[in-house]
Amino acid sequence: MFSALQQTWRRASIDLARNLEIGCSSFLADLFVMRVCNTNRALTDAYKKIDEICDTMNLSSVIRGQAKHNFKSYDEESKKQKKKIPIDPVLTSCIYIACREEGFPRTMKEMCAATTLTKKEIGNAFKHVQELIKKTVQPMKASDIIPRFCSNLNLDGNVIEEAAKHICQAADALNITEGRVYTSIASAAMFMACLLRQRNPKHFRSCKQISDATGAAEATIRQIYKEMHAKRHQLVPPDFATKEEIDKLPEGGGGF
């Protein structure tokens, strides 16, 4: 039997234990809420940054949504990793991947122009993000970006676009442009196609105009065009120009 004093101490101990348990639970609950709020705030801030970059690049809501999905996947996986990298290159990489996934690829140069990041910073983050979210993005080909470049140049219809894509693919098959940057290859192919339609203002753009629209240096475009010129009969689609027209293509692009 407990004495009255012992019973009093026992009740006090039980009450204290209960209060401590309640207090501890309350603290843990508050800590959990704080963590959830911080996580949600971090995601909200990241999504806002994605929207800002997408606004700068004029990207669609579909690409924005995919970029946010990519980042959420990255955010969940990165918590399991010790390696931490700056957030801005990660967000830019998520957008870069989303553009490729949705069929509207952007170049690294364009990603750099839309941010304050270097190609190296984005490239390093891109490899890390791609590995973490388990998405394999194939290397970009010159033919992938021709549709957008043609659109930027306001070329009528898809006549030049289809011819230039054919030229790029044929040049790749013949290893003519091996080691060259895809934007320069695309530009040279467009230049060749435009020269074959120079009498039609709707289908012709000069080397300088193409350079301004694609960002490829004019001298580089002409150099790659010259390399293509030697195999021009194997590159130009047979239904795009006659043999005589292809024969007459100027070796260095003429004064255009």
Side-chain angles (χ1 to χ4, degrees):
M1 294 294 293
F2 292 112
S3 68
L5 182 60
Q6 286 176 321
Q7 287 178 350
T8 301
W9 275 106
R10 185 168 178 271
R11 281 196 297 270
S13 298
I14 292 171
D15 289 343
L16 178 61
R18 283 175 179 169
N19 288 334
L20 285 171
E21 184 180 356
I22 292 169
C24 184
S25 298
S26 177
F27 171 75
L28 290 174
D30 288 345
L31 185 61
F32 175 75
V33 170
M34 284 174 64
R35 284 181 176 174
V36 169
C37 288
N38 287 338
T39 299
N40 289 341
R41 190 178 301 115
L43 274 177
T44 301
D45 290 343
Y47 290 168
K48 184 179 178 181
K49 183 67 176 178
I50 286 173
D51 281 330
E52 288 173 0
I53 298 172
C54 289
D55 282 341
T56 301
M57 299 184 73
N58 240 358
L59 299 176
S60 70
S61 58
V62 175
I63 291 174
R64 292 166 194 250
Q66 186 58 48
K68 291 172 184 177
H69 174 74
N70 289 342
F71 177 73
K72 193 170 189 299
S73 299
Y74 168 82
D75 187 54
E76 290 169 356
E77 291 299 321
S78 66
K79 289 170 183 173
K80 307 171 189 175
Q81 306 287 324
K82 291 182 179 179
K83 184 179 179 180
K84 299 296 178 184
I85 58 177
I87 189 67
D88 284 354
V90 168
L91 296 175
T92 306
S93 298
C94 289
I95 296 170
Y96 180 74
I97 293 170
C99 287
R100 298 295 304 279
E101 289 178 304
E102 297 303 326
F104 295 94
R106 292 297 185 271
T107 65
M108 278 289 182
K109 190 172 183 179
E110 289 174 301
M111 301 308 298
C112 291
T115 62
T116 57
L117 302 169
T118 64
K119 188 175 179 180
K120 184 178 180 180
E121 287 174 316
I122 299 173
N124 289 339
F126 167 68
K127 291 175 186 176
H128 182 60
V129 171
Q130 190 177 219
E131 186 179 310
L132 245 60
I133 66 176
K134 296 177 176 60
K135 285 189 177 181
T136 302
V137 178
Q138 296 301 322
M140 195 181 294
K141 295 181 180 179
S143 55
D144 294 336
I145 53 176
I146 283 176
R148 186 161 51 82
F149 285 165
C150 286
S151 175
N152 291 346
L153 284 161
N154 292 317
L155 286 162
D156 189 55
N158 62 350
V159 177
I160 298 298
E161 177 186 323
E162 293 304 318
K165 283 164 70 174
H166 185 282
I167 292 169
C168 281
Q169 290 161 354
D172 183 50
L174 293 170
N175 293 321
I176 295 172
T177 53
E178 190 174 3
R180 293 288 193 175
V181 178
Y182 53 84
T183 50
S184 300
I185 298 169
S187 301
M190 289 164 61
F191 184 44
M192 179 173 280
C194 284
L195 284 174
L196 287 165
R197 292 298 174 91
Q198 60 185 274
R199 292 182 181 178
N200 187 339
K202 291 182 179 180
H203 296 161
F204 178 74
R205 296 294 182 272
S206 69
C207 187
K208 185 179 186 312
Q209 288 174 309
I210 293 172
S211 173
D212 290 341
T214 65
E218 194 174 343
T220 305
I221 296 172
R222 290 186 181 278
Q223 180 57 43
I224 297 175
Y225 166 83
K226 190 174 181 180
E227 293 167 8
M228 290 178 169
H229 185 271
K231 301 280 187 179
R232 60 193 182 281
H233 286 286
Q234 293 171 261
L235 303 181
V236 178
D239 59 345
F240 184 72
T242 65
K243 182 181 180 301
E244 291 72 23
E245 288 172 331
I246 298 172
D247 279 338
K248 292 177 182 178
L249 272 173
E251 184 178 355
F256 300 102

